[in-house]
């Protein structure tokens, strides 16, 4: 499911209003509440940019069309070396090697059917392994 900016912003605003209400009840200074709101808003925007970028990356992997037309990586080790986000690296590092090979072949532009033929796997297995990886990535 795609990242819904408006929905996430509504959730954030509701959460923030509830938090600020509690802080006022506890007697916190309005200036501190304003500063906290600003800091939380900046964190929210950073997270939103990250999620949008992750969504774009996942779509790119699914379509097999890297931006520059060149292969992203030549093997699984190089694929992991290209990961800049530490959390993403940890998720991928703990992923089954066969799934990473499927991911790599997807980045090269191979279809599910082609990947299944190359790896000697049923198409359903390739679909399932990609689906499991997607779920892992969405959780983090």
């Amino acid at each position: 499911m795609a990242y819904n900016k408006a929905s996430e912003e509504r959730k954030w605003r509701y959460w923030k209003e509830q938090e600020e209400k509690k802080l006022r009840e506890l007697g916190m200074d309005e200036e501190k509440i304003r500063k906290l709101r600003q800091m939380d808003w900046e964190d929210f925007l950073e997270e939103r940019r990250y999620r949008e970028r992750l969504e774009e990356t996942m779509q790119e992997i699914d379509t097999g069309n890297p931006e520059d037309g060149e292969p992203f990586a030549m093997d699984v080790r190089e694929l992991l070396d290209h990961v800049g986000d530490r959390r993403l690296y940890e998720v991928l590092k703990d992923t089954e090697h066969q799934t990473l090979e499927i991911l790599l072949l997807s980045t090269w532009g191979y279809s599910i059917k082609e990947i299944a033929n190359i790896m000697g796997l049923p198409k359903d297995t390739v679909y399932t392994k990609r689906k499991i990886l997607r779920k892992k990535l969405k959780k983090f």
Side-chain angles (χ1 to χ4, degrees):
M1 189 165 103
Y3 181 74
N4 186 326
K5 295 178 205 177
S7 173
E8 293 301 318
E9 191 170 329
R10 272 192 307 275
K11 290 177 192 175
W12 182 87
R13 289 186 190 284
Y14 177 77
W15 164 76
K16 197 62 189 161
E17 287 169 6
Q18 298 303 311
E19 180 187 58
E20 288 174 358
K21 181 180 175 184
K22 288 178 185 174
L23 291 173
R24 284 183 185 99
E25 288 173 0
L26 294 171
M28 186 176 222
D29 179 35
E30 283 298 319
E31 181 61 22
K32 288 181 182 176
I33 291 174
R34 188 191 62 75
K35 285 180 181 178
L36 182 60
R37 176 182 263 283
Q38 183 62 35
M39 288 172 35
D40 286 344
W41 180 245
E42 289 169 8
D43 287 345
F44 172 77
L45 293 177
E46 184 178 328
E47 178 72 14
R48 184 170 81 180
R49 284 189 296 270
Y50 171 76
R51 289 185 179 268
E52 288 172 345
R53 174 77 192 248
L54 179 63
E55 182 69 26
E56 290 170 7
T57 302
M58 290 307 296
Q59 286 176 356
E60 190 175 288
I61 288 170
D62 282 345
T63 60
N65 296 326
E67 291 174 0
D68 57 6
E70 293 294 318
F72 180 67
M74 297 308 293
D75 60 23
V76 171
R77 173 181 268 151
E78 193 175 331
L79 176 71
L80 291 175
D81 288 344
H82 278 84
V83 176
D85 186 282
R86 185 74 181 155
R87 294 181 306 166
L88 178 58
Y89 175 79
E90 291 299 323
V91 170
L92 291 177
K93 184 184 73 151
D94 295 335
T95 300
E96 178 188 25
H97 186 77
Q98 193 175 53
T99 304
L100 293 176
E101 289 177 349
I102 291 169
L103 175 62
L104 182 63
L105 290 170
S106 293
T107 66
W108 291 352
Y110 288 104
S111 69
I112 296 294
K113 184 178 179 181
E114 291 169 325
I115 293 171
N117 288 334
I118 290 168
M119 296 186 71
L121 298 169
K123 282 190 330 185
D124 289 342
T125 301
V126 175
Y127 276 117
T128 301
K129 289 184 179 292
R130 282 174 42 128
K131 184 178 180 182
I132 290 169
L133 178 60
R134 260 211 167 118
K135 283 184 181 180
K136 278 185 178 180
L137 293 175
K138 284 184 179 183
K139 284 181 185 177
F140 107 94

